[in-house]
Short mmCIF file of all heavy atoms in Angstrom, two decimals:
data_model
loop_
_atom_site.label_atom_id
_atom_site.label_comp_id
_atom_site.label_asym_id
_atom_site.label_seq_id
_atom_site.Cartn_x
_atom_site.Cartn_y
_atom_site.Cartn_z
N GLN A 372 -10.01 2.35 3.37
CA GLN A 372 -11.18 1.85 4.08
C GLN A 372 -12.35 1.81 3.15
O GLN A 372 -13.13 0.92 3.09
CB GLN A 372 -11.48 2.78 5.27
CG GLN A 372 -12.68 2.26 6.15
CD GLN A 372 -12.30 1.09 7.02
OE1 GLN A 372 -11.95 -0.01 6.45
NE2 GLN A 372 -12.36 1.18 8.27
N ALA A 373 -12.54 2.92 2.37
CA ALA A 373 -13.62 2.99 1.40
C ALA A 373 -13.56 1.88 0.36
O ALA A 373 -14.54 1.26 0.00
CB ALA A 373 -13.66 4.38 0.67
N GLU A 374 -12.31 1.63 -0.07
CA GLU A 374 -12.20 0.53 -1.07
C GLU A 374 -12.45 -0.82 -0.48
O GLU A 374 -13.11 -1.66 -1.13
CB GLU A 374 -10.65 0.54 -1.63
CG GLU A 374 -10.30 1.81 -2.40
CD GLU A 374 -8.82 2.03 -2.48
OE1 GLU A 374 -7.99 1.13 -2.05
OE2 GLU A 374 -8.43 3.10 -3.03
N THR A 375 -12.09 -0.96 0.77
CA THR A 375 -12.35 -2.27 1.47
C THR A 375 -13.88 -2.52 1.63
O THR A 375 -14.38 -3.65 1.44
CB THR A 375 -11.64 -2.31 2.82
OG1 THR A 375 -10.23 -2.08 2.65
CG2 THR A 375 -11.90 -3.60 3.56
N VAL A 376 -14.57 -1.43 1.93
CA VAL A 376 -16.04 -1.59 2.09
C VAL A 376 -16.69 -1.95 0.77
O VAL A 376 -17.58 -2.83 0.70
CB VAL A 376 -16.66 -0.25 2.58
CG1 VAL A 376 -18.15 -0.29 2.56
CG2 VAL A 376 -16.19 0.00 4.03
N LEU A 377 -16.24 -1.31 -0.37
CA LEU A 377 -16.82 -1.64 -1.61
C LEU A 377 -16.47 -3.08 -2.06
O LEU A 377 -17.31 -3.81 -2.67
CB LEU A 377 -16.28 -0.72 -2.69
CG LEU A 377 -16.96 0.78 -2.65
CD1 LEU A 377 -16.29 1.69 -3.70
CD2 LEU A 377 -18.42 0.64 -2.94
N LEU A 378 -15.27 -3.50 -1.76
CA LEU A 378 -14.89 -4.91 -2.09
C LEU A 378 -15.80 -5.88 -1.32
O LEU A 378 -16.19 -6.92 -1.83
CB LEU A 378 -13.39 -5.18 -1.77
CG LEU A 378 -12.46 -4.43 -2.71
CD1 LEU A 378 -11.05 -4.56 -2.17
CD2 LEU A 378 -12.52 -5.07 -4.14
N GLY A 379 -16.04 -5.52 -0.01
CA GLY A 379 -16.92 -6.41 0.80
C GLY A 379 -18.32 -6.42 0.20
O GLY A 379 -19.00 -7.45 0.23
N LEU A 380 -18.75 -5.26 -0.23
CA LEU A 380 -20.11 -5.17 -0.79
C LEU A 380 -20.22 -6.02 -2.06
O LEU A 380 -21.26 -6.69 -2.24
CB LEU A 380 -20.45 -3.72 -1.12
CG LEU A 380 -21.84 -3.35 -1.58
CD1 LEU A 380 -22.89 -3.74 -0.60
CD2 LEU A 380 -21.95 -1.92 -2.04
N ALA A 381 -19.18 -5.99 -2.85
CA ALA A 381 -19.24 -6.79 -4.13
C ALA A 381 -19.24 -8.24 -3.84
O ALA A 381 -19.84 -9.02 -4.63
CB ALA A 381 -17.98 -6.42 -4.96
N ARG A 382 -18.56 -8.68 -2.76
CA ARG A 382 -18.54 -10.11 -2.40
C ARG A 382 -19.83 -10.54 -1.77
O ARG A 382 -20.12 -11.80 -1.65
CB ARG A 382 -17.41 -10.39 -1.42
CG ARG A 382 -16.00 -10.36 -2.08
CD ARG A 382 -15.00 -10.97 -1.14
NE ARG A 382 -14.83 -10.18 0.09
CZ ARG A 382 -13.98 -9.14 0.30
NH1 ARG A 382 -13.15 -8.91 -0.67
NH2 ARG A 382 -13.93 -8.56 1.45
N GLY A 383 -20.70 -9.59 -1.29
CA GLY A 383 -21.88 -10.01 -0.58
C GLY A 383 -21.63 -10.75 0.65
O GLY A 383 -22.35 -11.72 0.98
N SER A 384 -20.61 -10.30 1.42
CA SER A 384 -20.18 -11.06 2.58
C SER A 384 -20.83 -10.72 3.90
O SER A 384 -20.48 -11.30 4.89
CB SER A 384 -18.63 -10.89 2.65
OG SER A 384 -17.96 -11.27 1.57
N GLY A 385 -21.70 -9.66 3.90
CA GLY A 385 -22.42 -9.41 5.15
C GLY A 385 -21.81 -8.21 5.86
O GLY A 385 -20.86 -7.57 5.47
N THR A 386 -22.38 -7.97 7.08
CA THR A 386 -22.07 -6.82 7.85
C THR A 386 -20.63 -6.74 8.27
O THR A 386 -20.02 -5.70 8.25
CB THR A 386 -22.98 -6.73 9.10
OG1 THR A 386 -24.35 -6.90 8.76
CG2 THR A 386 -22.84 -5.44 9.87
N ARG A 387 -20.09 -7.90 8.66
CA ARG A 387 -18.69 -7.91 9.13
C ARG A 387 -17.71 -7.42 7.97
O ARG A 387 -16.80 -6.73 8.20
CB ARG A 387 -18.31 -9.24 9.62
CG ARG A 387 -16.80 -9.39 10.12
CD ARG A 387 -16.49 -8.37 11.15
NE ARG A 387 -17.19 -8.61 12.37
CZ ARG A 387 -17.09 -7.75 13.46
NH1 ARG A 387 -16.45 -6.62 13.33
NH2 ARG A 387 -17.71 -7.98 14.57
N SER A 388 -18.01 -7.90 6.81
CA SER A 388 -17.20 -7.48 5.67
C SER A 388 -17.34 -5.97 5.38
O SER A 388 -16.35 -5.31 4.99
CB SER A 388 -17.56 -8.31 4.40
OG SER A 388 -16.66 -8.02 3.37
N LEU A 389 -18.50 -5.51 5.48
CA LEU A 389 -18.78 -4.09 5.25
C LEU A 389 -18.13 -3.14 6.33
O LEU A 389 -18.03 -1.94 6.10
CB LEU A 389 -20.27 -3.75 5.19
CG LEU A 389 -21.03 -4.37 3.97
CD1 LEU A 389 -22.56 -3.93 4.06
CD2 LEU A 389 -20.45 -3.90 2.69
#
Side-chain angles (χ1 to χ4, degrees):
Q372 184 74 299
E374 294 162 7
T375 302
V376 172
L377 284 176
L378 289 170
L380 183 63
R382 287 193 297 266
S384 303
T386 307
R387 177 56 69 188
S388 186
L389 292 181

